[in-house]
Amino acid sequence: MCKLFSLFIGFIIYLPLINGQTGTGVIKGSILDKDSKEPLSGATIQLLNDLSKGTASDIEGNYVLVLDTGNYRIFCSYLGLQGDTFSVRINENAITQKNIVLKQNAKTLETVVISSGKFEQRIEELTVSMEVLKPNLISNKNTTSIETALEQVPGLTIIDNDPQIRGGSGFTFGVGSRVAIVMDGVPLLSGDAGRPEWSYIPVENIEQIEIIKGASSVLYGSSALNGVINIRSAYPRSKPKTSINYSAGQYSIPQAPAENWYKTRGNNSFPGFSNLNLFHSRIIKNNLDFVIGANFNIDQGYIGPPPAAKYMPDDLKEALHVEDTMQVFTNDQMVKQRGRVNFNLRYRPKRFEGLNFGVNANCMLNKTNMTFAWLDDSLGLYRGYPGAVFLEDQTLFNIDPFIKYTTKNGLSHSIQTRLFHSDNVISNNQSNRGTMYFGEYQLQRKFKSIDLNFIGGLVGNISKSTSRLYVSSGQPSNHIVNTSAYIQLDKKFWRILNLSGGIRYENFKINNLKSDDAFIYRIGGNLQLTKATFIRSSYGLGYRYPTITERYITTKAGMFGVFPNPDLKPEKSKSFEVGIKQGFKIGNCKGYLDIAAFHQRYENNIEYLFGMWEPQISIIGFKFLNTGNSQVRGLDMSLAASTAETNKRFGISALIGYTYIEPINLNPDSIYAYDKGLDGGTPQPLSYKNSSLDTTGNILKYRFKHMFKLDVEIKIYRFSFGVSNKYYSKMQNIDKAFKVIEETTINGQEFFDIIHVMKYYKTHYSISIWDARLSYTISDKQKLSIVCNNIFNEIYSLRPLKIESPRTAAIQYVLTF
């Protein structure tokens, strides 16, 4: 593989000899965006009769092109803007000045993305489904942690921190994410658990968020089994920018009878929250980009501490293996506090055109809590169950040095690295710390004359973790080493047909076990039928290697436990989709309607299942298991539209989507594990059929068949009003063990608090949550908003034993200068 890759590099970087030239002149100038007046970096200048000759504008929007004397037709282009063609006469030893101003292209959708192929493309020309979140929506919804904004993306659901795209996974407490979370192309999942730390992502410094739907492992590796969420940082513009965003609000009293805890807080106080975002960016001396941001957050939370556990005699504790480790917390201990600081530095030496290097960094101190189960499904919905609440103090930081060099002929070399360290101090001996080392070398070349883009890369990733949680491996310290290589080609034919294909080799090794490897590939095409109609199709393979946590976690608290499974096998997937994107323009409003049909098939599906696995260790708990093969097929529709920002009197923006899925288990009678009764007797075989509460249609557990998302904002002069909706159909199937454990705790209610699940499951059906916001623009620099989430104060749950937030109301003030 390495020899093959070396041959490709040698072929790509071969540069033909250039004959000496006489009788030349120069054309130079600047390239600006007509609406924003910002210089355009990376705009392309090419000869119409020879596209191989040309140049690109620098970071300040300036360009210089040396040509033989004569007459030329020159074309200037920039993604998302309308190109400009002009004639010019080049005279010997003379400099011709030509400044260019590009305007918005009424025929395109104006959205430029990089996630699909790791180079800039128009969203309508992609071969895969993608949604884009703009920073305005993130700010307008008073987003303090990025997952609350991501919940508005069609086809994307976040259940207890775990991102799901098109029903590709059940809930796993965020462990072993099937969706890659990357920031500026660098992975942001924790090394030991493969889980996202949403509060760690700097919401104050986001250019846009790009969400790829479907297997994306060729470019993004193991965790991209179902898709990718790529957060792109904002770099400075020509003018310095400073932003201060402050908000404060309160939780409402939940509807009866779940208001019990709120009425017992004392002082007639409601829990509240406050948040401060700071951001500053500027270009120093025309070649140093500097960005700094900070976030400070205090949240009293909506879930109260658990009560003291019921008294249990020592002999019964010993018989049932219940440890006396259930701590009692106060309301003050449940308060969440967070402080985060981040910066980006990028330097462009003036003596070396095309070279830039720098470092990005982020650091967070976070005092938070994790609640795994409610007290009961009526009065105790908003309180934790004894032994199921943990306090956590987090220290996280990353340092990301990078360097990139781009030649005039479109050849680009880049090296991105990351050191990501986490130290999690958790109550009840759940603490862990880990460090991830990541490095990627990437080679790109654009062959302008034949409209071909090549990208190849080598990736290395080492994740180390130390914790008593993982001693089942034989030691508390564990590590995973991942190496990979990839190649992808994107070719455009006749300016209407895009073809894309790539291949990747993955190799994983955990501790001293035998390594596991895989070859995966993807192909896709996009055909432009009319000026605004694009059809696409793609097929790809996915691959995900189990994390340290999934294999080796061993822990217990009270009657709950989590059990290891060192024999977990990697998951694999095949993903196919066909779609159509129709652009439209109505007056000053432009947008697109996208419809996609998809079919995803999974092998060795890993699920986090609730049951009685080892009663001699802990009565009940969770375990990661390979549950066989499954498939998810369905339909995904989305509509995005907005008016031009230049219209100061009226504007509208909308993001609307509907997703239908059929998540089916393909081996319903296959035995995948054995669990034990409370007496620790004969192991009982488990299959989908006998472990599911509802097997109608062989529907997978913890999925919503129907999802609808809506966000619409209307601006009239200085006022803006926005409304959001999230709809989920009833979760048809969950683990049958929830029913068994409820019956067990009822029988032993003298010593246990009853774990209530079934009443809520049977009486709650679909979920529809509405949010609203109203803002007033005081001046060009100031805006005041009122933001209300869950305005009808619905009581709802997205997974068993976890209640979601009641209504919140907040006031937000934003100052930008």
Side-chain angles (χ1 to χ4, degrees):
M1 184 68 189
C2 291
K3 290 182 179 179
L4 252 159
F5 194 76
S6 299
L7 287 174
F8 264 101
I9 292 179
F11 170 74
I12 296 302
I13 64 174
Y14 169 76
L15 297 176
L17 295 175
I18 300 175
N19 295 325
Q21 295 179 345
T22 58
T24 61
V26 174
I27 179 172
K28 62 180 293 188
S30 63
I31 307 173
L32 298 178
D33 184 319
K34 181 180 180 180
D35 292 333
S36 68
K37 310 302 180 185
E38 290 282 344
L40 296 175
S41 171
T44 301
I45 300 289
Q46 294 172 281
L47 303 187
L48 270 181
N49 64 344
D50 186 358
L51 295 177
S52 65
K53 294 183 178 179
T55 188
S57 58
D58 62 20
I59 193 69
E60 299 171 23
N62 298 320
Y63 73 94
V64 177
L65 181 60
V66 179
L67 295 170
D68 293 339
T69 57
N71 296 315
Y72 294 94
R73 292 278 290 168
I74 294 180
F75 178 65
C76 177
S77 63
Y78 188 84
L79 277 175
L81 301 179
Q82 184 173 320
D84 184 24
T85 303
F86 58 92
S87 300
V88 65
R89 169 71 185 177
I90 300 297
N91 297 315
E92 186 174 359
N93 298 325
I95 297 176
T96 303
Q97 185 78 25
K98 174 64 178 178
N99 295 328
I100 304 168
V101 178
L102 300 182
K103 61 182 180 180
Q104 295 290 341
N105 190 344
K107 298 178 182 178
T108 69
L109 305 181
E110 297 183 8
T111 300
V112 178
V113 298
I114 66 170
S115 297
S116 176
K118 293 198 174 183
F119 66 96
E120 289 190 340
Q121 296 173 278
R122 294 190 180 100
I123 192 171
E124 63 267 31
E125 296 180 348
L126 302 181
T127 63
V128 296
S129 292
M130 178 183 287
E131 304 289 347
V132 176
L133 277 187
K134 295 293 187 179
N136 284 346
L137 176 61
I138 298 170
S139 175
N140 293 345
K141 287 182 68 66
N142 191 32
T143 302
T144 59
S145 187
I146 196 62
E147 77 274 17
T148 58
L150 290 171
E151 289 172 346
Q152 287 300 142
V153 175
L156 172 62
T157 307
I158 296 178
I159 299 181
D160 212 13
N161 288 327
D162 182 29
Q164 303 178 3
I165 292 181
R166 293 173 172 172
S169 63
F171 92 90
T172 62
F173 291 114
V175 174
S177 175
R178 279 78 170 166
V179 177
I181 315 295
V182 297
M183 187 150 193
D184 298 320
V186 182
L188 204 57
L189 296 172
S190 63
D192 60 343
R195 66 180 297 164
E197 297 289 352
W198 298 113
S199 59
Y200 187 63
I201 297 172
V203 296
E204 65 275 9
N205 179 24
I206 292 179
E207 180 73 26
Q208 67 183 27
I209 303 177
E210 301 165 6
I211 300 96
I212 302 176
K213 302 176 183 180
S216 304
S217 294
V218 166
L219 290 182
Y220 291 94
S222 170
S223 57
L225 193 72
N226 296 140
V228 178
I229 298 173
N230 185 20
I231 300 101
R232 294 174 56 186
S233 298
Y235 272 93
R237 300 294 195 265
S238 58
K239 295 181 180 179
K241 178 182 178 181
T242 300
S243 176
I244 301 172
N245 183 330
Y246 177 75
S247 62
Q250 284 187 326
Y251 295 94
S252 296
I253 297 178
Q255 297 182 35
E259 81 283 7
N260 183 56
W261 169 64
Y262 284 67
K263 289 186 176 181
T264 60
R265 282 179 59 87
N267 301 322
N268 295 318
S269 64
F270 300 147
F273 52 89
S274 61
N275 187 80
L276 175 64
N277 289 338
L278 304 173
F279 173 81
H280 177 75
S281 68
R282 64 170 53 237
I283 300 176
I284 302 172
K285 295 184 178 180
N286 295 323
N287 66 343
L288 176 62
D289 298 335
F290 173 68
V291 178
I292 188 168
N295 168 257
F296 304 95
N297 181 276
I298 298 177
D299 187 350
Q300 291 180 304
Y302 63 91
I303 294 180
K310 290 185 176 181
Y311 171 77
M312 182 183 295
D314 292 339
D315 57 344
L316 185 59
K317 288 181 183 178
E318 184 177 352
L320 295 178
H321 305 282
V322 175
E323 291 185 357
D324 192 14
T325 57
M326 292 179 281
Q327 296 173 268
V328 177
F329 306 122
T330 65
N331 287 328
D332 289 340
Q333 287 178 297
M334 297 288 286
V335 174
K336 300 178 180 180
Q337 301 178 58
R338 179 177 75 233
R340 188 188 65 242
V341 178
N342 62 90
F343 70 84
N344 298 345
L345 286 173
R346 182 173 63 180
Y347 181 69
R348 302 177 304 280
K350 295 182 179 179
R351 294 177 57 187
F352 300 97
E353 185 179 349
L355 175 66
N356 69 81
F357 54 87
V359 60
N360 302 329
N362 193 8
C363 178
M364 180 178 75
L365 300 178
N366 187 28
K367 176 182 176 294
T368 185
N369 64 74
M370 299 177 289
T371 303
F372 293 105
W374 60 42
L375 179 59
D376 59 55
D377 59 2
S378 55
L379 294 176
L381 272 173
Y382 293 88
R383 294 195 71 176
Y385 190 89
V389 177
F390 303 91
L391 302 185
E392 180 178 23
D393 288 328
Q394 289 184 299
T395 301
L396 306 176
F397 70 85
N398 68 273
I399 302 174
D400 306 344
F402 65 89
I403 184 170
K404 183 175 182 179
Y405 176 65
T406 304
T407 66
K408 292 183 178 180
N409 67 345
L411 180 65
S412 174
H413 302 268
S414 67
I415 297 176
Q416 289 183 293
T417 62
R418 165 164 289 170
L419 186 154
F420 179 33
H421 180 78
S422 61
D423 191 349
N424 305 301
V425 180
I426 307 174
S427 59
N428 197 42
N429 298 317
Q430 308 292 309
S431 301
N432 61 86
R433 67 179 185 273
T435 304
M436 181 187 76
Y437 305 90
F438 173 86
E440 178 178 5
Y441 165 74
Q442 188 180 106
L443 172 71
Q444 285 196 40
R445 182 163 185 183
K446 296 180 180 179
F447 296 88
K448 298 177 182 178
S449 59
I450 57 175
D451 226 339
L452 173 69
N453 194 88
F454 168 90
I455 181 171
L458 298 172
V459 181
N461 192 329
I462 301 174
S463 296
K464 297 182 177 181
S465 180
T466 300
S467 174
R468 290 180 55 190
L469 295 172
Y470 308 134
V471 294
S472 68
S473 69
Q475 56 188 5
S477 296
N478 297 270
H479 65 274
I480 288 182
V481 178
N482 170 221
T483 55
S484 56
Y486 62 86
I487 292 172
Q488 180 164 304
L489 294 172
D490 292 84
K491 175 75 171 79
K492 195 165 188 177
F493 296 91
W494 312 296
R495 297 189 178 182
I496 61 169
L497 175 63
N498 287 337
L499 295 180
S500 177
I503 186 171
R504 185 185 187 100
Y505 170 75
E506 287 271 3
N507 181 276
F508 279 88
K509 185 177 179 64
I510 185 167
N511 296 334
N512 295 318
L513 299 182
K514 182 181 177 181
S515 64
D516 189 277
D517 56 9
F519 279 96
I520 51 179
Y521 67 89
R522 67 167 298 270
I523 55 174
N526 182 300
L527 177 64
Q528 182 178 358
L529 296 179
T530 69
K531 291 181 179 179
T533 305
F534 301 80
I535 60 172
R536 67 180 183 277
S537 181
S538 65
Y539 176 83
L541 304 183
Y543 171 86
R544 192 184 76 83
Y545 192 77
T547 63
I548 293 172
T549 300
E550 289 170 291
R551 282 179 178 267
Y552 298 127
I553 185 170
T554 307
T555 186
K556 62 183 297 185
M559 62 185 294
F560 293 95
V562 183
F563 304 98
N565 185 358
D567 298 322
L568 271 181
K569 299 176 182 178
E571 294 179 289
K572 299 179 181 179
S573 72
K574 300 175 182 178
S575 178
F576 171 78
E577 79 162 51
V578 59
I580 181 170
K581 190 180 293 288
Q582 177 63 56
F584 62 84
K585 185 175 186 295
I586 304 173
N588 197 32
C589 180
K590 289 187 287 187
Y592 63 81
L593 172 66
D594 190 278
I595 303 175
F598 57 89
H599 185 108
Q600 302 165 158
R601 189 181 179 99
Y602 301 92
E603 298 178 17
N604 296 325
N605 214 32
I606 297 177
E607 296 194 52
Y608 193 44
L609 300 183
F610 189 62
M612 300 178 188
W613 304 111
E614 297 290 345
Q616 73 275 16
I617 297 177
S618 185
I619 299 175
I620 55 173
F622 293 88
K623 191 174 186 178
F624 291 95
L625 294 165
N626 291 112
T627 58
N629 300 337
S630 63
Q631 72 176 23
V632 181
R633 59 189 180 188
L635 189 68
D636 198 2
M637 297 184 289
S638 62
L639 183 147
S642 63
T643 54
E645 294 183 4
T646 53
N647 190 332
K648 301 297 183 182
R649 295 186 176 185
F650 176 81
I652 186 170
S653 64
L655 179 61
I656 305 170
Y658 167 75
T659 304
Y660 168 76
I661 63 171
E662 287 185 353
I664 299 173
N665 186 293
L666 298 177
N667 311 113
D669 296 310
S670 176
I671 305 300
Y672 58 75
Y674 294 83
D675 82 341
K676 303 174 183 178
L678 289 177
D679 59 358
T682 304
Q684 299 299 312
L686 286 181
S687 66
Y688 166 85
K689 283 288 189 182
N690 65 21
S691 67
S692 297
L693 197 62
D694 185 345
T695 60
T696 306
N698 293 333
I699 297 299
L700 294 171
K701 302 168 187 174
Y702 311 112
R703 267 75 166 185
F704 302 106
K705 293 183 69 174
H706 301 271
M707 289 184 290
F708 175 78
K709 306 287 183 69
L710 174 146
D711 187 89
V712 177
E713 181 163 307
I714 299 174
K715 180 185 74 173
I716 302 176
Y717 293 94
R718 293 181 179 269
F719 287 94
S720 294
F721 174 75
V723 62
S724 301
N725 176 252
K726 300 184 291 289
Y727 169 85
Y728 306 95
S729 61
K730 179 178 175 61
M731 183 178 286
Q732 177 180 320
N733 192 15
I734 62 175
D735 280 306
K736 190 176 182 178
F738 283 111
K739 180 180 179 181
V740 176
I741 196 61
E742 179 174 309
E743 294 171 351
T744 301
T745 52
I746 289 175
N747 293 333
Q749 59 184 293
E750 180 181 354
F751 306 109
F752 295 109
D753 291 284
I754 301 173
I755 298 179
H756 289 282
V757 181
M758 300 313 300
K759 179 182 176 182
Y760 184 94
Y761 175 76
K762 291 178 179 179
T763 58
H764 288 73
Y765 300 96
S766 60
I767 301 167
S768 183
I769 306 300
W770 290 89
D771 307 330
R773 56 189 184 271
L774 176 67
S775 67
Y776 176 72
T777 303
I778 302 171
S779 66
D780 291 340
K781 298 180 179 180
Q782 301 181 78
K783 186 173 74 171
L784 188 66
S785 305
I786 298 175
V787 182
C788 184
N789 295 326
N790 190 5
I791 57 178
F792 298 113
N793 205 18
E794 299 285 350
I795 296 176
Y796 72 105
S797 171
L798 294 179
R799 64 96 168 156
L801 298 179
K802 173 67 184 299
I803 199 68
E804 300 296 324
S805 173
R807 178 174 53 225
T808 63
I811 296 177
Q812 179 191 45
Y813 172 75
V814 180
L815 173 64
T816 305
F817 56 93

